[in-house]
Amino acid sequence: ALNTTACIVIPPPIESNFNRGGEAYDEGKIPDAIRFYKLALSEDPLNHFARYNLAVAYQDQEKYDQAAEQYQLVLKDHEDTNSRINLATILYAKGKTEEAIDQLRQAAEKNPDDPNPLSVLGHYLEESGKHAKAMQAYRDALAIDEKHAATHFRKGRLEITMGRHNAAQDSLITAVELDDEKPPYLELL
């Protein structure tokens, strides 16, 4: 029995409208992806993965109202950090800064192990000129994950604005060391 060999067969992905939507999205065929995600939702209205992907596809097409509606439906039945962050992005772009910040605070509260909501919150606070609050949000994000490159980058950018060039340099070097695939990190450094 020890000398017996066998091949392991991995079955191909199951044919489904959800998977077809993912394939269409990956190929840049966003309208087809939307159609397949809608079909997947007609089969299972509680498929929050299909609903989230539908929202992302709408957002990619700059159909922000439709995207926001889908994110809100995801959040109605299922807490999802990325849905809250993306919804906050739409709200912020529409000038609804306080609503966007509220979504990010909720995401941070409901997902205390994820630095992303606090990092994005810091970014919006920074853009609103609330530098001390932004810096605190970045510090809180780094307390969750000290290797979160995007937060080090954002913190470094804010430190430049605040005239703290040595601290900015340290933050930006850390961002580049953690993720050297992001040209803006090195460019700002």
Side-chain angles (χ1 to χ4, degrees):
L2 294 174
N3 293 329
T4 305
T5 60
C7 293
I8 297 174
V9 177
I10 299 173
I14 298 170
E15 282 296 315
S16 70
N17 286 313
F18 177 79
N19 288 344
R20 286 183 193 103
E23 290 171 11
Y25 185 87
D26 290 344
E27 293 171 4
K29 299 175 181 175
I30 305 300
D32 288 340
I34 289 172
R35 183 170 52 85
F36 286 125
Y37 291 137
K38 284 181 173 181
L39 287 170
L41 287 167
S42 71
E43 296 164 359
D44 179 7
L46 299 178
N47 183 340
H48 66 270
F49 294 114
R51 191 165 305 283
Y52 173 82
N53 287 356
L54 176 61
V56 169
Y58 277 141
Q59 193 169 357
D60 285 352
Q61 286 192 324
E62 298 180 4
K63 295 180 178 178
Y64 300 122
D65 291 335
Q66 292 96 322
E69 178 183 357
Q70 295 304 314
Y71 290 130
Q72 289 166 341
L73 288 170
V74 168
L75 293 167
K76 179 181 171 192
D77 297 322
H78 177 80
E79 182 54 38
D80 179 64
T81 304
N82 291 328
S83 291
R84 284 205 187 275
I85 291 172
N86 291 351
L87 179 57
T89 301
I90 292 168
L91 293 167
Y92 189 80
K94 289 182 164 195
K96 298 178 179 182
T97 304
E98 289 306 314
E99 289 179 50
I101 287 173
D102 183 54
Q103 286 296 324
L104 293 169
R105 285 189 175 131
Q106 284 183 54
E109 282 177 24
K110 294 179 180 194
N111 303 284
D113 297 326
D114 189 345
N116 287 315
L118 289 167
S119 187
V120 176
L121 173 62
H123 173 72
Y124 290 160
L125 291 168
E126 179 183 348
E127 285 191 350
S128 298
K130 299 175 182 175
H131 295 161
K133 289 182 179 182
M135 184 60 72
Q136 188 57 53
Y138 295 145
R139 287 183 182 133
D140 292 345
L142 291 172
I144 294 168
D145 181 0
E146 65 185 33
K147 295 184 179 198
H148 195 251
T151 303
H152 282 287
F153 169 72
R154 290 172 176 151
K155 182 175 173 274
R157 184 184 60 207
L158 177 58
E159 289 165 334
I160 290 171
T161 301
M162 298 173 82
R164 301 176 187 168
H165 298 288
N166 289 338
Q169 182 177 348
D170 292 343
S171 294
L172 293 171
I173 287 171
T174 301
V176 169
E177 288 173 348
L178 291 170
D179 188 355
D180 61 1
E181 298 293 318
K182 299 275 193 216
Y185 294 4
L186 191 56
E187 290 168 9
L188 186 59
L189 177 62

